[in-house]
Amino acid sequence: MGKLVLCVLDDDFRYLESLARYLGVSAHGNDFILKCFSKPEGLVEYLRMPRQADVLLAKPGHLIEIGMASGTIAVGLIGDAGDNALMAIDLPRVNKYQPLDQMFATISEFVHDRIGRGGAEDGGQMRVVSVYSATGGSGKSTVAANMAKIHAFRDWRVFYLNLELLQSPAFFRSSTETEKQSFSKWMYFVLSGERHSSARLAGLASKDPERRVAFFEPVSDMEEMEQITFADARKLIEAIKSSGEYDELIIDLDASISERVLGAISASDEVAWIFTDDIQSLTKTGKLFGQLNKKLGQKGDYTMPHHTFVMNKFTGAAVHNPADFGIRSHVKLPYIPAWKSVRHTGQLLEEPVFQEHLISVLGRRGLGGGGCDG
């Protein structure tokens, strides 16, 4: 392995100079090419170049703001307790104020660990997470899209699949002109038993170059979505999994118990169940949980996957006790006042307070281990 390009973003010039001096005289200088940046905009401009960064070292807040190119290893530079609080997500981290030989040795370990770990294409198993709600208006799609963005930021290869009947406006944008009805064409190849349907995925799916999430353009034909059966949904998910191109599939589902929804949940590893502190949402969540379990059982040897209940739009004080509705445990995401009037869907992916809370939820719970009395 040749020298790695290490990009460091920090506003402390003396600290940057100390890194440069150390690499100039130490054995670690044989491992790294150092690129120093004191302002985020300078690093952003550099990351647009063909040879980007192998390793990106910056404060967690800057990492969240900037993101990085595919293949880059992000490392949080922890300078104080506030930085550490932002690192609930399981990105690697190093302490800023430690002996530099220890710090660079730790970064080298991160690199070797990442190279040796491999992904789905190397035999790893793609993780399937369905995001579901018993009622509309819970913010389910916003949670799903932000989850996709955050996990892509962790250098996971993420596919966002919208299986809603009436689909939300696109959260992600492609920089190139995309083929019309791409999902319909791909679904035809999969369900008709076309031998190379998984290979066709790359040619029909779009990818957001900034957020690095793969996706299909929203489907406008509701009848087409209605016709997806339990078995069809499972086949579509298996086709994405067998492509070997992705580490995670995030599925945005309807507030229904349709065949399409049941099939997707049955093929999922985990379910993020979104609800709000509202009597309708809580009542329907408690009742529908039992109904979904029952219907899954009627389909064969299927049960509800690992699930986490998420109270979205939490204002700081709950009006109702979710346990009274059979929801034993849950996590919370905050109400965002700026979202009362949304100009464009991109606005829903640019709120740092919401993302920091979601990062904390993902880091603590891994979207597993929630509970509900059935």
PDB file of all heavy atoms in Angstrom, residues 133-167:
ATOM      1  N   SER A 133     -44.661   3.627   9.596  1.00  0.00           N
ATOM      2  CA  SER A 133     -45.507   4.354  10.541  1.00  0.00           C
ATOM      3  C   SER A 133     -46.943   3.896  10.358  1.00  0.00           C
ATOM      4  O   SER A 133     -47.352   3.519   9.255  1.00  0.00           O
ATOM      5  CB  SER A 133     -45.404   5.865  10.307  1.00  0.00           C
ATOM      6  OG  SER A 133     -46.259   6.551  11.211  1.00  0.00           O
ATOM      7  N   ALA A 134     -47.701   3.923  11.439  1.00  0.00           N
ATOM      8  CA  ALA A 134     -49.107   3.541  11.369  1.00  0.00           C
ATOM      9  C   ALA A 134     -49.980   4.676  10.848  1.00  0.00           C
ATOM     10  O   ALA A 134     -51.134   4.449  10.481  1.00  0.00           O
ATOM     11  CB  ALA A 134     -49.600   3.105  12.757  1.00  0.00           C
ATOM     12  N   THR A 135     -49.451   5.890  10.823  1.00  0.00           N
ATOM     13  CA  THR A 135     -50.229   7.052  10.377  1.00  0.00           C
ATOM     14  C   THR A 135     -49.386   7.941   9.476  1.00  0.00           C
ATOM     15  O   THR A 135     -48.151   7.946   9.555  1.00  0.00           O
ATOM     16  CB  THR A 135     -50.707   7.895  11.582  1.00  0.00           C
ATOM     17  OG1 THR A 135     -49.563   8.319  12.334  1.00  0.00           O
ATOM     18  CG2 THR A 135     -51.638   7.096  12.481  1.00  0.00           C
ATOM     19  N   GLY A 136     -50.047   8.706   8.644  1.00  0.00           N
ATOM     20  CA  GLY A 136     -49.347   9.704   7.839  1.00  0.00           C
ATOM     21  C   GLY A 136     -48.991  10.917   8.675  1.00  0.00           C
ATOM     22  O   GLY A 136     -49.521  11.123   9.767  1.00  0.00           O
ATOM     23  N   GLY A 137     -48.066  11.712   8.163  1.00  0.00           N
ATOM     24  CA  GLY A 137     -47.701  12.952   8.847  1.00  0.00           C
ATOM     25  C   GLY A 137     -46.772  12.781  10.025  1.00  0.00           C
ATOM     26  O   GLY A 137     -46.560  13.729  10.792  1.00  0.00           O
ATOM     27  N   SER A 138     -46.192  11.597  10.185  1.00  0.00           N
ATOM     28  CA  SER A 138     -45.306  11.352  11.328  1.00  0.00           C
ATOM     29  C   SER A 138     -43.871  11.802  11.073  1.00  0.00           C
ATOM     30  O   SER A 138     -43.060  11.843  11.993  1.00  0.00           O
ATOM     31  CB  SER A 138     -45.300   9.858  11.684  1.00  0.00           C
ATOM     32  OG  SER A 138     -44.734   9.111  10.617  1.00  0.00           O
ATOM     33  N   GLY A 139     -43.552  12.117   9.817  1.00  0.00           N
ATOM     34  CA  GLY A 139     -42.169  12.456   9.473  1.00  0.00           C
ATOM     35  C   GLY A 139     -41.350  11.239   9.102  1.00  0.00           C
ATOM     36  O   GLY A 139     -40.118  11.294   9.080  1.00  0.00           O
ATOM     37  N   LYS A 140     -42.032  10.151   8.778  1.00  0.00           N
ATOM     38  CA  LYS A 140     -41.375   8.886   8.446  1.00  0.00           C
ATOM     39  C   LYS A 140     -40.373   9.022   7.306  1.00  0.00           C
ATOM     40  O   LYS A 140     -39.229   8.563   7.402  1.00  0.00           O
ATOM     41  CB  LYS A 140     -42.437   7.841   8.095  1.00  0.00           C
ATOM     42  CG  LYS A 140     -41.923   6.596   7.392  1.00  0.00           C
ATOM     43  CD  LYS A 140     -43.068   5.728   6.934  1.00  0.00           C
ATOM     44  CE  LYS A 140     -43.973   6.423   5.956  1.00  0.00           C
ATOM     45  NZ  LYS A 140     -43.315   6.777   4.670  1.00  0.00           N
ATOM     46  N   SER A 141     -40.806   9.640   6.202  1.00  0.00           N
ATOM     47  CA  SER A 141     -39.922   9.756   5.034  1.00  0.00           C
ATOM     48  C   SER A 141     -38.706  10.626   5.338  1.00  0.00           C
ATOM     49  O   SER A 141     -37.604  10.361   4.852  1.00  0.00           O
ATOM     50  CB  SER A 141     -40.700  10.330   3.838  1.00  0.00           C
ATOM     51  OG  SER A 141     -41.688   9.427   3.399  1.00  0.00           O
ATOM     52  N   THR A 142     -38.903  11.654   6.151  1.00  0.00           N
ATOM     53  CA  THR A 142     -37.785  12.514   6.534  1.00  0.00           C
ATOM     54  C   THR A 142     -36.768  11.734   7.354  1.00  0.00           C
ATOM     55  O   THR A 142     -35.550  11.877   7.164  1.00  0.00           O
ATOM     56  CB  THR A 142     -38.294  13.727   7.334  1.00  0.00           C
ATOM     57  OG1 THR A 142     -39.183  14.490   6.512  1.00  0.00           O
ATOM     58  CG2 THR A 142     -37.150  14.612   7.784  1.00  0.00           C
ATOM     59  N   VAL A 143     -37.250  10.897   8.264  1.00  0.00           N
ATOM     60  CA  VAL A 143     -36.341  10.057   9.048  1.00  0.00           C
ATOM     61  C   VAL A 143     -35.588   9.097   8.132  1.00  0.00           C
ATOM     62  O   VAL A 143     -34.373   8.939   8.240  1.00  0.00           O
ATOM     63  CB  VAL A 143     -37.121   9.270  10.130  1.00  0.00           C
ATOM     64  CG1 VAL A 143     -36.197   8.268  10.824  1.00  0.00           C
ATOM     65  CG2 VAL A 143     -37.729  10.215  11.154  1.00  0.00           C
ATOM     66  N   ALA A 144     -36.306   8.460   7.202  1.00  0.00           N
ATOM     67  CA  ALA A 144     -35.672   7.489   6.299  1.00  0.00           C
ATOM     68  C   ALA A 144     -34.588   8.140   5.454  1.00  0.00           C
ATOM     69  O   ALA A 144     -33.481   7.601   5.302  1.00  0.00           O
ATOM     70  CB  ALA A 144     -36.728   6.851   5.401  1.00  0.00           C
ATOM     71  N   ALA A 145     -34.885   9.318   4.883  1.00  0.00           N
ATOM     72  CA  ALA A 145     -33.919   9.991   4.015  1.00  0.00           C
ATOM     73  C   ALA A 145     -32.697  10.464   4.802  1.00  0.00           C
ATOM     74  O   ALA A 145     -31.561  10.358   4.329  1.00  0.00           O
ATOM     75  CB  ALA A 145     -34.586  11.170   3.310  1.00  0.00           C
ATOM     76  N   ASN A 146     -32.913  10.974   6.005  1.00  0.00           N
ATOM     77  CA  ASN A 146     -31.779  11.407   6.822  1.00  0.00           C
ATOM     78  C   ASN A 146     -30.940  10.228   7.276  1.00  0.00           C
ATOM     79  O   ASN A 146     -29.709  10.321   7.369  1.00  0.00           O
ATOM     80  CB  ASN A 146     -32.272  12.204   8.038  1.00  0.00           C
ATOM     81  CG  ASN A 146     -32.487  13.669   7.727  1.00  0.00           C
ATOM     82  OD1 ASN A 146     -31.540  14.455   7.701  1.00  0.00           O
ATOM     83  ND2 ASN A 146     -33.723  14.045   7.481  1.00  0.00           N
ATOM     84  N   MET A 147     -31.580   9.104   7.557  1.00  0.00           N
ATOM     85  CA  MET A 147     -30.837   7.903   7.918  1.00  0.00           C
ATOM     86  C   MET A 147     -29.941   7.475   6.761  1.00  0.00           C
ATOM     87  O   MET A 147     -28.770   7.111   6.958  1.00  0.00           O
ATOM     88  CB  MET A 147     -31.820   6.785   8.275  1.00  0.00           C
ATOM     89  CG  MET A 147     -31.174   5.578   8.914  1.00  0.00           C
ATOM     90  SD  MET A 147     -32.346   4.208   9.144  1.00  0.00           S
ATOM     91  CE  MET A 147     -33.650   5.043  10.036  1.00  0.00           C
ATOM     92  N   ALA A 148     -30.496   7.522   5.539  1.00  0.00           N
ATOM     93  CA  ALA A 148     -29.699   7.159   4.359  1.00  0.00           C
ATOM     94  C   ALA A 148     -28.506   8.096   4.212  1.00  0.00           C
ATOM     95  O   ALA A 148     -27.380   7.654   3.946  1.00  0.00           O
ATOM     96  CB  ALA A 148     -30.578   7.207   3.113  1.00  0.00           C
ATOM     97  N   LYS A 149     -28.730   9.385   4.393  1.00  0.00           N
ATOM     98  CA  LYS A 149     -27.653  10.360   4.257  1.00  0.00           C
ATOM     99  C   LYS A 149     -26.550  10.110   5.292  1.00  0.00           C
ATOM    100  O   LYS A 149     -25.353  10.114   4.963  1.00  0.00           O
ATOM    101  CB  LYS A 149     -28.208  11.774   4.414  1.00  0.00           C
ATOM    102  CG  LYS A 149     -27.130  12.850   4.398  1.00  0.00           C
ATOM    103  CD  LYS A 149     -27.688  14.215   4.740  1.00  0.00           C
ATOM    104  CE  LYS A 149     -26.554  15.240   4.879  1.00  0.00           C
ATOM    105  NZ  LYS A 149     -27.063  16.574   5.262  1.00  0.00           N
ATOM    106  N   ILE A 150     -26.948   9.882   6.540  1.00  0.00           N
ATOM    107  CA  ILE A 150     -25.971   9.692   7.616  1.00  0.00           C
ATOM    108  C   ILE A 150     -25.151   8.433   7.393  1.00  0.00           C
ATOM    109  O   ILE A 150     -23.923   8.417   7.560  1.00  0.00           O
ATOM    110  CB  ILE A 150     -26.692   9.654   8.979  1.00  0.00           C
ATOM    111  CG1 ILE A 150     -27.195  11.057   9.341  1.00  0.00           C
ATOM    112  CG2 ILE A 150     -25.767   9.123  10.075  1.00  0.00           C
ATOM    113  CD1 ILE A 150     -28.120  11.088  10.538  1.00  0.00           C
ATOM    114  N   HIS A 151     -25.813   7.353   6.982  1.00  0.00           N
ATOM    115  CA  HIS A 151     -25.075   6.107   6.784  1.00  0.00           C
ATOM    116  C   HIS A 151     -24.177   6.171   5.561  1.00  0.00           C
ATOM    117  O   HIS A 151     -23.097   5.569   5.544  1.00  0.00           O
ATOM    118  CB  HIS A 151     -26.052   4.937   6.696  1.00  0.00           C
ATOM    119  CG  HIS A 151     -26.576   4.530   8.030  1.00  0.00           C
ATOM    120  ND1 HIS A 151     -27.586   3.618   8.199  1.00  0.00           N
ATOM    121  CD2 HIS A 151     -26.225   4.929   9.284  1.00  0.00           C
ATOM    122  CE1 HIS A 151     -27.829   3.466   9.485  1.00  0.00           C
ATOM    123  NE2 HIS A 151     -27.021   4.247  10.163  1.00  0.00           N
ATOM    124  N   ALA A 152     -24.586   6.897   4.527  1.00  0.00           N
ATOM    125  CA  ALA A 152     -23.698   7.103   3.379  1.00  0.00           C
ATOM    126  C   ALA A 152     -22.480   7.922   3.799  1.00  0.00           C
ATOM    127  O   ALA A 152     -21.364   7.693   3.318  1.00  0.00           O
ATOM    128  CB  ALA A 152     -24.442   7.801   2.246  1.00  0.00           C
ATOM    129  N   PHE A 153     -22.694   8.846   4.708  1.00  0.00           N
ATOM    130  CA  PHE A 153     -21.606   9.653   5.252  1.00  0.00           C
ATOM    131  C   PHE A 153     -20.577   8.781   5.985  1.00  0.00           C
ATOM    132  O   PHE A 153     -19.384   9.070   6.005  1.00  0.00           O
ATOM    133  CB  PHE A 153     -22.188  10.700   6.193  1.00  0.00           C
ATOM    134  CG  PHE A 153     -21.174  11.401   7.044  1.00  0.00           C
ATOM    135  CD1 PHE A 153     -20.389  12.392   6.520  1.00  0.00           C
ATOM    136  CD2 PHE A 153     -21.008  11.053   8.371  1.00  0.00           C
ATOM    137  CE1 PHE A 153     -19.444  13.036   7.300  1.00  0.00           C
ATOM    138  CE2 PHE A 153     -20.080  11.676   9.163  1.00  0.00           C
ATOM    139  CZ  PHE A 153     -19.292  12.673   8.622  1.00  0.00           C
ATOM    140  N   ARG A 154     -21.046   7.679   6.553  1.00  0.00           N
ATOM    141  CA  ARG A 154     -20.149   6.749   7.241  1.00  0.00           C
ATOM    142  C   ARG A 154     -19.383   5.872   6.246  1.00  0.00           C
ATOM    143  O   ARG A 154     -18.722   4.915   6.638  1.00  0.00           O
ATOM    144  CB  ARG A 154     -20.966   5.846   8.171  1.00  0.00           C
ATOM    145  CG  ARG A 154     -21.603   6.554   9.334  1.00  0.00           C
ATOM    146  CD  ARG A 154     -22.545   5.637  10.085  1.00  0.00           C
ATOM    147  NE  ARG A 154     -21.879   4.471  10.631  1.00  0.00           N
ATOM    148  CZ  ARG A 154     -22.505   3.505  11.306  1.00  0.00           C
ATOM    149  NH1 ARG A 154     -23.803   3.571  11.481  1.00  0.00           N
ATOM    150  NH2 ARG A 154     -21.833   2.486  11.765  1.00  0.00           N
ATOM    151  N   ASP A 155     -19.521   6.207   4.960  1.00  0.00           N
ATOM    152  CA  ASP A 155     -18.862   5.465   3.885  1.00  0.00           C
ATOM    153  C   ASP A 155     -19.521   4.111   3.643  1.00  0.00           C
ATOM    154  O   ASP A 155     -18.894   3.185   3.146  1.00  0.00           O
ATOM    155  CB  ASP A 155     -17.365   5.283   4.156  1.00  0.00           C
ATOM    156  CG  ASP A 155     -16.586   5.053   2.861  1.00  0.00           C
ATOM    157  OD1 ASP A 155     -17.062   5.497   1.809  1.00  0.00           O
ATOM    158  OD2 ASP A 155     -15.524   4.417   2.913  1.00  0.00           O
ATOM    159  N   TRP A 156     -20.811   3.983   4.014  1.00  0.00           N
ATOM    160  CA  TRP A 156     -21.586   2.823   3.617  1.00  0.00           C
ATOM    161  C   TRP A 156     -22.157   3.096   2.239  1.00  0.00           C
ATOM    162  O   TRP A 156     -22.489   4.231   1.903  1.00  0.00           O
ATOM    163  CB  TRP A 156     -22.737   2.570   4.582  1.00  0.00           C
ATOM    164  CG  TRP A 156     -22.328   2.130   5.946  1.00  0.00           C
ATOM    165  CD1 TRP A 156     -21.074   2.132   6.480  1.00  0.00           C
ATOM    166  CD2 TRP A 156     -23.207   1.639   6.969  1.00  0.00           C
ATOM    167  NE1 TRP A 156     -21.107   1.678   7.766  1.00  0.00           N
ATOM    168  CE2 TRP A 156     -22.398   1.375   8.097  1.00  0.00           C
ATOM    169  CE3 TRP A 156     -24.565   1.407   7.040  1.00  0.00           C
ATOM    170  CZ2 TRP A 156     -22.933   0.871   9.279  1.00  0.00           C
ATOM    171  CZ3 TRP A 156     -25.099   0.918   8.217  1.00  0.00           C
ATOM    172  CH2 TRP A 156     -24.284   0.645   9.321  1.00  0.00           C
ATOM    173  N   ARG A 157     -22.308   2.051   1.459  1.00  0.00           N
ATOM    174  CA  ARG A 157     -22.957   2.159   0.151  1.00  0.00           C
ATOM    175  C   ARG A 157     -24.447   1.929   0.374  1.00  0.00           C
ATOM    176  O   ARG A 157     -24.875   0.807   0.632  1.00  0.00           O
ATOM    177  CB  ARG A 157     -22.356   1.150  -0.825  1.00  0.00           C
ATOM    178  CG  ARG A 157     -20.864   1.391  -1.087  1.00  0.00           C
ATOM    179  CD  ARG A 157     -20.225   0.186  -1.747  1.00  0.00           C
ATOM    180  NE  ARG A 157     -20.382  -1.006  -0.919  1.00  0.00           N
ATOM    181  CZ  ARG A 157     -20.163  -2.234  -1.372  1.00  0.00           C
ATOM    182  NH1 ARG A 157     -19.797  -2.447  -2.612  1.00  0.00           N
ATOM    183  NH2 ARG A 157     -20.314  -3.274  -0.557  1.00  0.00           N
ATOM    184  N   VAL A 158     -25.213   3.018   0.285  1.00  0.00           N
ATOM    185  CA  VAL A 158     -26.614   3.001   0.713  1.00  0.00           C
ATOM    186  C   VAL A 158     -27.554   3.144  -0.476  1.00  0.00           C
ATOM    187  O   VAL A 158     -27.339   3.985  -1.354  1.00  0.00           O
ATOM    188  CB  VAL A 158     -26.883   4.135   1.730  1.00  0.00           C
ATOM    189  CG1 VAL A 158     -28.349   4.144   2.158  1.00  0.00           C
ATOM    190  CG2 VAL A 158     -25.973   3.995   2.944  1.00  0.00           C
ATOM    191  N   PHE A 159     -28.614   2.333  -0.473  1.00  0.00           N
ATOM    192  CA  PHE A 159     -29.681   2.459  -1.459  1.00  0.00           C
ATOM    193  C   PHE A 159     -30.958   2.832  -0.722  1.00  0.00           C
ATOM    194  O   PHE A 159     -31.355   2.164   0.227  1.00  0.00           O
ATOM    195  CB  PHE A 159     -29.892   1.157  -2.230  1.00  0.00           C
ATOM    196  CG  PHE A 159     -30.651   1.339  -3.521  1.00  0.00           C
ATOM    197  CD1 PHE A 159     -29.982   1.318  -4.738  1.00  0.00           C
ATOM    198  CD2 PHE A 159     -32.022   1.555  -3.530  1.00  0.00           C
ATOM    199  CE1 PHE A 159     -30.663   1.507  -5.931  1.00  0.00           C
ATOM    200  CE2 PHE A 159     -32.715   1.745  -4.708  1.00  0.00           C
ATOM    201  CZ  PHE A 159     -32.041   1.720  -5.923  1.00  0.00           C
ATOM    202  N   TYR A 160     -31.596   3.916  -1.164  1.00  0.00           N
ATOM    203  CA  TYR A 160     -32.876   4.363  -0.602  1.00  0.00           C
ATOM    204  C   TYR A 160     -33.985   3.940  -1.562  1.00  0.00           C
ATOM    205  O   TYR A 160     -34.005   4.349  -2.720  1.00  0.00           O
ATOM    206  CB  TYR A 160     -32.862   5.883  -0.418  1.00  0.00           C
ATOM    207  CG  TYR A 160     -34.199   6.511  -0.101  1.00  0.00           C
ATOM    208  CD1 TYR A 160     -34.659   6.578   1.210  1.00  0.00           C
ATOM    209  CD2 TYR A 160     -34.995   7.047  -1.108  1.00  0.00           C
ATOM    210  CE1 TYR A 160     -35.885   7.170   1.507  1.00  0.00           C
ATOM    211  CE2 TYR A 160     -36.219   7.634  -0.820  1.00  0.00           C
ATOM    212  CZ  TYR A 160     -36.654   7.691   0.481  1.00  0.00           C
ATOM    213  OH  TYR A 160     -37.862   8.276   0.768  1.00  0.00           O
ATOM    214  N   LEU A 161     -34.884   3.081  -1.078  1.00  0.00           N
ATOM    215  CA  LEU A 161     -35.956   2.544  -1.915  1.00  0.00           C
ATOM    216  C   LEU A 161     -37.301   3.008  -1.386  1.00  0.00           C
ATOM    217  O   LEU A 161     -37.701   2.652  -0.271  1.00  0.00           O
ATOM    218  CB  LEU A 161     -35.903   1.011  -1.928  1.00  0.00           C
ATOM    219  CG  LEU A 161     -36.975   0.288  -2.759  1.00  0.00           C
ATOM    220  CD1 LEU A 161     -36.829   0.633  -4.244  1.00  0.00           C
ATOM    221  CD2 LEU A 161     -36.888  -1.217  -2.539  1.00  0.00           C
ATOM    222  N   ASN A 162     -38.007   3.811  -2.179  1.00  0.00           N
ATOM    223  CA  ASN A 162     -39.326   4.299  -1.783  1.00  0.00           C
ATOM    224  C   ASN A 162     -40.389   3.345  -2.314  1.00  0.00           C
ATOM    225  O   ASN A 162     -40.560   3.202  -3.521  1.00  0.00           O
ATOM    226  CB  ASN A 162     -39.543   5.707  -2.347  1.00  0.00           C
ATOM    227  CG  ASN A 162     -40.761   6.379  -1.736  1.00  0.00           C
ATOM    228  OD1 ASN A 162     -41.712   5.719  -1.333  1.00  0.00           O
ATOM    229  ND2 ASN A 162     -40.730   7.704  -1.677  1.00  0.00           N
ATOM    230  N   LEU A 163     -41.108   2.683  -1.402  1.00  0.00           N
ATOM    231  CA  LEU A 163     -42.183   1.776  -1.785  1.00  0.00           C
ATOM    232  C   LEU A 163     -43.550   2.301  -1.341  1.00  0.00           C
ATOM    233  O   LEU A 163     -44.503   1.533  -1.194  1.00  0.00           O
ATOM    234  CB  LEU A 163     -41.948   0.377  -1.201  1.00  0.00           C
ATOM    235  CG  LEU A 163     -40.809  -0.438  -1.818  1.00  0.00           C
ATOM    236  CD1 LEU A 163     -40.741  -1.824  -1.188  1.00  0.00           C
ATOM    237  CD2 LEU A 163     -40.970  -0.557  -3.339  1.00  0.00           C
ATOM    238  N   GLU A 164     -43.643   3.620  -1.145  1.00  0.00           N
ATOM    239  CA  GLU A 164     -44.934   4.213  -0.811  1.00  0.00           C
ATOM    240  C   GLU A 164     -45.878   4.138  -2.011  1.00  0.00           C
ATOM    241  O   GLU A 164     -45.436   4.162  -3.166  1.00  0.00           O
ATOM    242  CB  GLU A 164     -44.770   5.677  -0.420  1.00  0.00           C
ATOM    243  CG  GLU A 164     -43.986   5.920   0.854  1.00  0.00           C
ATOM    244  CD  GLU A 164     -43.821   7.406   1.111  1.00  0.00           C
ATOM    245  OE1 GLU A 164     -43.241   8.085   0.246  1.00  0.00           O
ATOM    246  OE2 GLU A 164     -44.276   7.870   2.152  1.00  0.00           O
ATOM    247  N   LEU A 165     -47.170   4.089  -1.716  1.00  0.00           N
ATOM    248  CA  LEU A 165     -48.157   4.123  -2.789  1.00  0.00           C
ATOM    249  C   LEU A 165     -48.171   5.506  -3.441  1.00  0.00           C
ATOM    250  O   LEU A 165     -48.039   5.644  -4.659  1.00  0.00           O
ATOM    251  CB  LEU A 165     -49.545   3.783  -2.231  1.00  0.00           C
ATOM    252  CG  LEU A 165     -50.706   3.792  -3.230  1.00  0.00           C
ATOM    253  CD1 LEU A 165     -50.501   2.736  -4.295  1.00  0.00           C
ATOM    254  CD2 LEU A 165     -52.032   3.588  -2.501  1.00  0.00           C
ATOM    255  N   LEU A 166     -48.306   6.544  -2.626  1.00  0.00           N
ATOM    256  CA  LEU A 166     -48.225   7.934  -3.083  1.00  0.00           C
ATOM    257  C   LEU A 166     -46.900   8.476  -2.582  1.00  0.00           C
ATOM    258  O   LEU A 166     -46.753   8.766  -1.393  1.00  0.00           O
ATOM    259  CB  LEU A 166     -49.403   8.746  -2.550  1.00  0.00           C
ATOM    260  CG  LEU A 166     -49.484  10.211  -2.989  1.00  0.00           C
ATOM    261  CD1 LEU A 166     -49.597  10.314  -4.505  1.00  0.00           C
ATOM    262  CD2 LEU A 166     -50.662  10.905  -2.320  1.00  0.00           C
ATOM    263  N   GLN A 167     -45.943   8.626  -3.472  1.00  0.00           N
ATOM    264  CA  GLN A 167     -44.568   8.882  -3.046  1.00  0.00           C
ATOM    265  C   GLN A 167     -44.285  10.360  -2.810  1.00  0.00           C
ATOM    266  O   GLN A 167     -44.825  11.240  -3.484  1.00  0.00           O
ATOM    267  CB  GLN A 167     -43.603   8.304  -4.089  1.00  0.00           C
ATOM    268  CG  GLN A 167     -43.804   6.808  -4.275  1.00  0.00           C
ATOM    269  CD  GLN A 167     -42.649   6.114  -4.942  1.00  0.00           C
ATOM    270  OE1 GLN A 167     -41.716   6.737  -5.435  1.00  0.00           O
ATOM    271  NE2 GLN A 167     -42.700   4.793  -4.943  1.00  0.00           N
TER     272      GLN A 167
END
